[in-house]
Amino acid sequence: MKISIIIPVYNEEKTIGLLLDYLLKIQNKNTVEEIIVVDGKSLDTTKTIIQSYISVNCLDSKKGRAIQMNTGAKIAKGSILYFLHCDSFPPENFDLQIIKEVQNHLTLSNSDKQIY
């Protein structure tokens, strides 16, 4: 299982670089497939900042959080989609926590127990 991190942005020049630096520092390449940032035609330097990160996939989209999230989801390669707001900094080992919870849910779903 690998995670695709999808970040919809619009005019986030003040925070996107900080978030990408942080994610690239704490990510585990064994669990994070990719980071996708979907720009809703920002009017500031957001897109330029994103494009300076070679390992980050930058997509253009119409403005609108749902539209941008769907745009990222369509090309995501990971089996788990993790949508993240630009001003949210997940805790270290967030990827391991997410995978653990997904695996727990799959184990429960495949057992004879009912989930309500």
Side-chain angles (χ1 to χ4, degrees), residues 4-116:
S4 289
I5 301 171
I6 302 169
I7 309 166
V9 296
Y10 179 74
N11 291 342
E12 301 287 354
E13 67 184 2
K14 292 182 181 176
T15 56
I16 190 60
L18 296 171
L19 176 60
L20 293 176
D21 286 341
Y22 176 76
L23 289 173
L24 292 170
K25 179 182 174 185
I26 69 165
Q27 78 172 340
N28 180 336
K29 294 186 190 295
N30 294 321
T31 56
V32 175
E33 178 72 34
E34 62 198 336
I35 299 173
I36 302 168
V37 182
V38 187
D39 182 49
K41 301 189 188 317
S42 293
L43 303 174
D44 61 6
T45 61
T46 298
K47 185 174 177 180
T48 303
I49 294 168
I50 300 163
Q51 290 174 329
S52 71
Y53 292 85
I54 297 168
S55 62
V56 173
N57 192 349
C58 179
L59 301 178
D60 290 321
S61 172
K62 291 181 181 178
K63 183 180 172 188
R65 191 171 310 276
I67 293 168
Q68 290 169 251
M69 291 166 57
N70 286 330
T71 299
K74 285 178 186 174
I75 67 131
K77 298 174 190 164
S79 56
I80 300 170
L81 305 181
Y82 180 48
F83 297 96
L84 189 62
H85 293 285
C86 194
D87 59 355
S88 300
F89 288 70
E92 289 188 31
N93 296 320
F94 73 94
D95 48 345
L96 299 176
Q97 293 173 23
I98 291 170
I99 290 172
K100 179 182 175 187
E101 289 304 315
V102 169
Q103 289 173 335
N104 286 343
H105 178 73
L106 292 175
T107 301
L108 288 174
S109 295
N110 291 328
S111 71
D112 57 355
K113 297 178 184 178
Q114 296 294 320
I115 300 175
Y116 296 100

